[in-house]
Amino acid sequence: MASNTVNNEVRVSSDAGADPTRRGFLGRLTAAVAAVGALVAGWPLLRSLVPNVLYEPPKKFRIGAPENFQEGVTFLEEHRIFLFRDSSNYHAVSGICTHLGCTVKFSPFTLPQEETVRQFTYRALGEFHCPCHGSKFRGEGTNYAGPAPRPLKCFHLELSRATGELVVDVATEVSRDFRLVV
Amino acid sequence: MSLSKIAGIWEKLIWPWRPESNREAGSGIVANFLLHWFPNRISLRSLAFPASLYLGTITFVVFLVLTVTGVILMFLYVPSVERAYWSLKDLDHAVSFGWLLRRLHRISAHLMVALVFLHMFRVFLTGSYKAGEIVKSARPFNWVLGVSLLVLTLLLSFTGYLLPWDQLAFWAITVGTNIAAAVPYVGETIRQFLLGGTIIGQPTLIRFYVLHCALLPLVLFAVAAWHMWRIRKDGGLAIVEEDRKEALAREPQAPKKSKTYSVLGIASGTTVQVNDPTTLNEDNSVPSTPFLTVRILLITLLTVAVSIGLSLVIQAPLEAAANPEVTPNPAKAPWYFLGLQEMVGYSALMGGVIVPTIVILGLMLIPFLDREQKGIGYWFTDGPGRKWGVFGFLFGLVTTCGCLALALLAPMRSIFPTIESQVFFDLVNPATFLLLLFAGMYFVVLKKTDSTRYAAIATFCAFIIAFVILTYTGTALRGPNWDFFWPWQAWPVHPTAL
């Protein structure tokens, strides 16, 4: 049987090991130059696809006068942010699930309740549920069920000097006890 | 133009040629470019329906349907975030037969994914990835090409999914690109490269459009051509190994062919026809034309008819226009990704990156791990192979249901409420357990039977059933908030939402 065996497996090159002749050297040189050439030619092609200018909405924006927001929680659909107001205290929680980026939904409690999560006591109005893979977050953002790897982000809030409106800065993350007092 | 000339053209168009002898059939192939696709004679074993179920042929026909409908759709679709959704509305309501084109393209895409999987199952279960002993063919390499075609098909489906720019499209791509971001270190860079920015917008749409309409189809066409050319070079379907064995037994001392047919200087080595003892004769083979050509024509017609028939009854859904502000609840990927989405629900890193990578690499490695050469071309190899197939099937059924039950009844975070480390939950979750159970079963069966083929059959059958169960769970048993619902349970009408 063995004498009838012929190996027909695909081989890219028939040379085994380095060929010490001049022909072999020139062959390898050609391959090396071709590889460098391909890299040099390929770089601009790929680099051009990485944008230098993004035409995306700004990361810092005004959302309106503080007194316009109701007591409790308001969802700013356009920015995917939950704005919490506790009389004169304001803070903003991101509505983007830390798992795969779906928008979480706020599931309110019937009555607000005192809650301590990771040594932080606050008045919880409800909790966040993600529709995509079932992640759940406490009212201050801590993930406690499902695949979400991190708590929801909290964003920096300030008052606009020009108009007195609330300004959210989604590029600046703050800790969950951050409150803007107006 | 005289009537006889017109009749001549008609004759050429309908091609009423019937070969009178083997010699004429052979010359026909030399004379006709299209017939170069097929060999002169074809083994009766290859031709038999159970050998291949013609799944590869059907897949290619469906790909052709997709190409034709896709080209027409390109004339009617506008790849802009303002107009994409409305050009789909136009297709459904304003363009003559636009609805048919869209349905046919969609149903064929779903069929193609299903067929590529079924074709892979067939090739695996008949052991057709094996090189054979008499003439070592490159079938192991062709299996690797086949797995790349599976990946390309999934990529084509995924990129096509965004184009309608409706809610389904937008959120499927949100989830998909965030899975890419779960890759350690370079994930975020990959995500932004895919999106062409930091959010899904016009740059994303145009990227996916070009990938879907130009780059990926070209690559798929090239690899598919290579895949089919290799079947010719390897001497036909794997079952011809039987013909080779018989030929060798009949005439052990028969003179061998020694002419090389390779393109000298470009391809190395010889084709399998050289030194091939197979002499396809009157007893074991027939001329490809008309026997194979007519069968392929019939398969083509049936496939096209079934696709059109299905698209007449199955509507192509179009949800509300893409709205980045509102996530639909539940947000689901297309069905072939729902098994993945179910596992992504345990851990994005394990379910979305590690498990798929291991599955694809594992599939590609099958012919190099299992080098046994028995029973090539036969379903499940032999009796014990069938037994181990059933064992793998049952093992997969029990373990997958077990892991699902674990995920539903005792999520990892409730078992270990004090642990906050994300790495822990990425490593310890039902997807990991399933992976380890299957790998463990491979080695146990290998040790018990001392056969890589039986171990591979058991593992592959477990993989098939796990894929089916996870896909079914993601499709039918997951409702709002990705909560579990039995098929007879109604989903809550108004999920609590702000």
Side-chain angles (χ1 to χ4, degrees):
Chain A
M1 193 69 101
S3 63
N4 291 308
T5 298
V6 172
N7 194 338
N8 271 299
E9 281 175 279
V10 167
R11 284 188 303 266
V12 178
S13 159
S14 55
D15 350 328
D19 180 359
T21 61
R22 179 186 303 195
R23 182 180 289 260
F25 170 73
L26 287 175
R28 288 195 298 279
L29 189 66
T30 312
V33 170
V36 172
L39 278 180
V40 171
W43 175 248
L45 298 182
L46 282 178
R47 181 60 187 81
S48 69
L49 291 174
V50 179
N52 295 327
V53 181
L54 292 179
Y55 298 94
E56 290 176 359
K59 302 282 182 209
K60 199 171 174 180
F61 42 82
R62 289 196 287 259
I63 53 172
E67 60 273 15
N68 288 353
F69 290 95
Q70 61 184 7
E71 191 69 18
V73 57
T74 310
F75 181 51
L76 307 171
E77 262 198 18
E78 198 186 334
H79 305 294
R80 298 167 78 188
I81 285 172
F82 292 92
L83 190 90
F84 287 85
R85 178 179 180 183
D86 185 3
S87 67
S88 60
N89 290 311
Y90 293 82
H91 74 284
V93 177
S94 164
I96 299 172
C97 179
T98 53
H99 179 224
L100 293 177
C102 296
T103 308
V104 296
K105 301 202 184 294
F106 189 73
S107 181
F109 296 146
T110 341
L111 285 173
Q113 55 196 58
E114 284 285 314
E115 202 174 64
T116 304
V117 181
R118 290 191 295 150
Q119 293 92 45
F120 175 60
T121 308
Y122 70 109
R123 203 169 67 95
L125 303 176
E127 53 184 40
F128 301 97
H129 294 173
C130 181
C132 288
H133 300 92
S135 291
K136 288 175 183 171
F137 305 85
R138 302 279 180 215
E140 39 67 86
T142 299
N143 51 316
Y144 74 92
R150 286 177 302 278
L152 295 173
K153 288 179 183 172
C154 294
F155 296 131
H156 187 261
L157 273 181
E158 62 189 41
L159 286 179
S160 161
R161 282 165 194 250
T163 61
E165 287 174 289
L166 282 172
V167 174
V168 186
D169 180 3
V170 296
T172 310
E173 229 183 296
V174 293
S175 68
R176 59 197 163 135
D177 54 359
F178 173 91
R179 296 288 182 273
L180 175 74
V181 184
V182 176
Chain B
M1 201 184 280
S2 70
L3 249 157
S4 66
K5 265 191 183 166
I6 296 174
I9 292 172
W10 179 245
E11 289 244 308
K12 276 189 178 158
L13 281 177
I14 58 163
W15 194 52
W17 175 71
R18 295 280 176 278
E20 303 255 304
S21 64
N22 285 338
R23 189 183 175 80
E24 202 188 314
S27 321
I29 288 175
V30 178
N32 186 305
F33 173 73
L34 276 180
L35 292 185
H36 277 66
W37 202 326
F38 310 115
N40 185 359
R41 294 185 73 82
I42 181 157
S43 148
L44 284 169
R45 287 194 165 96
S46 265
L47 204 58
F49 185 70
S52 66
L53 310 178
Y54 285 83
L55 286 166
T57 312
I58 301 174
T59 312
F60 188 69
V61 173
V62 167
F63 176 64
L64 291 182
V65 171
L66 281 163
T67 310
V68 173
T69 50
V71 167
I72 306 289
L73 286 170
M74 274 177 82
F75 287 114
L76 302 166
Y77 172 81
V78 189
S80 121
V81 292
E82 285 88 20
R83 296 178 58 189
Y85 181 74
W86 302 107
S87 62
L88 264 99
K89 280 278 184 212
D90 273 357
L91 271 175
D92 279 352
H93 302 292
V95 178
S96 299
F97 299 108
W99 57 273
L100 181 63
L101 276 174
R102 192 163 101 73
R103 286 184 189 184
L104 189 54
H105 195 74
R106 176 179 169 277
I107 207 77
S108 305
H110 285 301
L111 280 178
M112 186 167 164
V113 175
L115 284 162
V116 168
F117 272 109
L118 290 175
H119 178 53
M120 180 177 76
F121 296 165
R122 190 286 289 174
V123 172
F124 176 86
L125 292 176
T126 55
S128 298
Y129 52 84
K130 292 166 180 293
E133 283 171 311
I134 300 163
V135 182
K136 277 231 171 72
S137 65
R139 278 191 218 105
F141 174 71
N142 211 14
W143 166 269
V144 176
L145 284 183
V147 177
S148 341
L149 285 170
L150 167 72
V151 175
L152 282 167
T153 306
L154 290 177
L155 286 177
L156 265 166
S157 307
F158 184 62
T159 48
Y161 224 78
L162 178 66
L163 303 185
W165 205 252
D166 63 347
Q167 279 290 73
L168 192 67
F170 188 90
W171 291 99
I173 301 307
T174 304
V175 172
T177 49
N178 273 311
I179 291 176
V183 179
Y185 304 113
V186 291
E188 189 53 32
T189 316
I190 295 175
R191 191 182 83 93
Q192 294 198 7
F193 189 75
L194 285 172
L195 296 184
T198 60
I199 53 172
I200 294 181
Q202 182 60 50
T204 321
L205 181 56
I206 205 75
R207 267 167 206 224
F208 278 60
Y209 176 72
V210 174
L211 283 173
H212 185 78
C213 300
L215 194 63
L216 289 172
L218 277 178
V219 176
L220 187 118
F221 196 82
V223 180
W226 196 0
H227 192 65
M228 289 185 274
W229 175 71
R230 276 246 53 97
I231 297 170
R232 277 295 301 280
K233 268 199 76 133
D234 291 337
L237 299 183
I239 192 77
V240 297
E241 292 298 327
E242 276 314 294
D243 293 319
R244 289 190 175 133
K245 270 188 205 161
E246 279 174 9
L248 202 63
R250 204 165 47 232
E251 284 184 274
Q253 302 306 325
K256 293 171 184 167
K257 297 174 214 155
S258 58
K259 196 165 181 249
T260 53
Y261 296 97
S262 56
V263 188
L264 295 175
I266 294 178
S268 61
T270 56
T271 62
V272 287
Q273 276 76 20
V274 181
N275 288 301
D276 184 353
T278 313
T279 33
L280 292 175
N281 53 34
E282 298 288 334
D283 299 331
N284 63 9
S285 71
V286 285
S288 297
T289 310
F291 291 96
L292 178 61
T293 356
V294 166
R295 276 172 172 75
I296 287 191
L297 211 61
L298 193 69
I299 296 278
T300 307
L301 286 174
L302 274 175
T303 308
V304 174
V306 168
S307 311
I308 293 177
L310 284 176
S311 46
L312 288 179
V313 289
I314 301 175
Q315 294 200 1
L318 188 63
E319 293 189 0
N323 182 356
E325 290 147 25
V326 180
T327 314
N329 191 354
K332 288 192 181 187
W335 65 266
Y336 37 83
F337 285 151
L338 285 182
L340 212 57
Q341 189 171 349
E342 175 64 31
M343 285 195 295
V344 165
Y346 312 147
S347 152
L349 180 66
M350 184 54 69
V353 180
I354 298 179
V355 169
T357 310
I358 289 180
V359 166
I360 296 293
L361 284 181
L363 285 174
M364 285 189 170
L365 282 177
I366 285 174
F368 308 101
L369 294 175
D370 168 29
R371 291 170 165 276
E372 282 166 32
Q373 301 297 338
K374 61 184 169 194
I376 298 177
Y378 289 102
W379 288 85
F380 293 95
T381 306
D382 51 16
R386 255 186 294 279
K387 200 187 79 185
W388 285 111
V390 172
F391 170 78
F393 183 86
L394 293 175
F395 182 86
L397 191 72
V398 171
T399 50
T400 311
C401 290
C403 285
L404 272 176
L406 186 68
L408 293 172
L409 303 175
M412 289 299 125
R413 277 186 204 276
S414 349
I415 300 182
F416 307 101
T418 50
I419 297 178
E420 278 180 26
S421 150
Q422 181 56 31
V423 181
F424 177 82
F425 292 110
D426 276 336
L427 294 178
V428 183
N429 62 63
T432 319
F433 301 154
L434 210 55
L435 197 66
L436 292 177
L437 280 167
F438 284 12
M441 181 189 60
Y442 178 84
F443 289 109
V444 168
V445 178
L446 183 63
K447 201 163 163 51
K448 204 167 166 55
T449 61
D450 205 23
S451 158
T452 48
R453 176 64 180 156
Y454 295 153
I457 289 178
T459 316
F460 197 84
C461 288
F463 162 75
I464 294 178
I465 191 69
F467 179 81
V468 171
I469 293 177
L470 288 174
T471 305
Y472 175 74
T473 308
T475 311
L477 304 182
R478 290 296 191 172
N481 296 333
W482 206 246
D483 287 335
F484 185 87
F485 292 92
W486 291 109
W488 55 87
Q489 279 178 315
W491 289 3
V493 185
H494 256 293
T496 34
L498 191 76

